[in-house]
Amino acid sequence: QAELGKPQRNCYTLPGFDFSYGLYIHRTDGGVPEAIGHWNTVKPKTALVQKMPRDFITMNRGALKAGYTTAHEFNLYYKAKDIRRKDDEYSRFKRCPPKVPADLTYGITARPCTPFFDLLQHKYKELWMEQQRALTAAQRTEKKKKNKVCETRTTFLRKLPLPAKEESFWHLPRLEKV
């Protein structure tokens, strides 16, 4: 039965003070004192000394100066003289960051305030009405252009008929030259 004058409890009873929540991982978990006392931070990695890519432009120039012309001779020259690119030329991370002014703010600028005076004067309605009037006027002129009849050969010939041919009687072809 519920206790008199108190709301009924709808939760479980918690375990005692000696109970630890979560998983315990042997050898790596030091518990709460370890978490409070030490921060497991990621240590910065030292830059791995990596082989720079080959500088083929310089090697090709050297091979041509040496008088090599075939692909086999070029490969032998590449094995003999392995020239690599310079570090500062290859890496874009070693360049200085761009100089920016001290008062520069990064991000998107805030939207300008809504002018309430224009709202009270119904200026936006007037602008919209002007746009609609200009649009309807443009549509009317477009419609007038469409109603104009295009000139075709038939209409052109109706206006300016061809001159009538002179009527000639038919003659036998052998009597034409007579």
Side-chain angles (χ1 to χ4, degrees):
Q1 288 185 352
E3 298 176 22
L4 188 62
K6 292 185 180 177
Q8 190 173 2
R9 296 181 186 193
N10 58 353
C11 59
Y12 297 105
T13 55
L14 297 175
F17 289 105
D18 58 342
F19 182 78
S20 60
Y21 293 93
L23 295 174
Y24 181 78
I25 303 170
H26 296 283
R27 298 184 191 160
T28 58
D29 196 4
V32 175
E34 180 73 23
I36 293 174
H38 303 89
W39 288 98
N40 289 333
T41 57
V42 177
K43 293 176 178 55
K45 293 181 180 178
T46 57
L48 296 173
V49 179
Q50 62 178 5
K51 267 189 154 182
M52 290 290 133
R54 288 176 153 184
D55 192 0
F56 284 102
I57 297 170
T58 310
M59 287 194 292
N60 288 347
R61 192 180 301 126
L64 284 174
K65 282 181 184 175
Y68 300 129
T69 54
T70 63
H72 181 68
E73 291 171 342
F74 269 74
N75 282 332
L76 290 175
Y77 185 83
Y78 293 160
K79 288 177 185 172
K81 298 195 176 179
D82 190 22
I83 301 171
R84 300 283 173 170
R85 283 179 150 184
K86 292 185 175 73
D87 190 25
D88 58 341
E89 174 189 27
Y90 182 68
S91 176
R92 65 184 176 95
F93 296 110
K94 300 211 173 176
R95 294 185 206 145
C96 296
K99 301 284 183 193
V100 292
D103 60 343
L104 178 76
T105 306
Y106 290 96
I108 301 171
T109 56
R111 213 180 88 180
C113 298
T114 306
F116 283 106
F117 194 68
D118 291 342
L119 289 174
L120 293 173
Q121 285 186 330
H122 302 291
K123 190 171 186 178
Y124 295 108
K125 183 189 91 171
E126 295 298 326
L127 287 172
W128 183 81
M129 292 294 286
E130 286 294 323
Q131 288 175 351
Q132 293 302 316
R133 287 185 196 117
L135 186 67
T136 53
Q139 286 174 349
R140 277 191 204 132
T141 56
E142 189 85 17
K143 204 171 191 180
K144 284 181 184 177
K145 286 180 183 176
K146 284 183 180 176
N147 289 341
K148 190 175 181 182
V149 177
C150 295
E151 287 287 324
T152 61
R153 182 168 170 80
T154 309
T155 56
F156 184 73
L157 288 175
R158 281 186 190 145
K159 289 179 186 174
L160 299 171
L162 289 175
K165 287 185 181 180
E166 292 180 18
E167 194 171 322
S168 64
F169 295 106
W170 181 78
H171 299 287
L172 287 171
R174 63 177 177 218
L175 296 176
E176 286 272 335
K177 295 179 183 176
V178 176

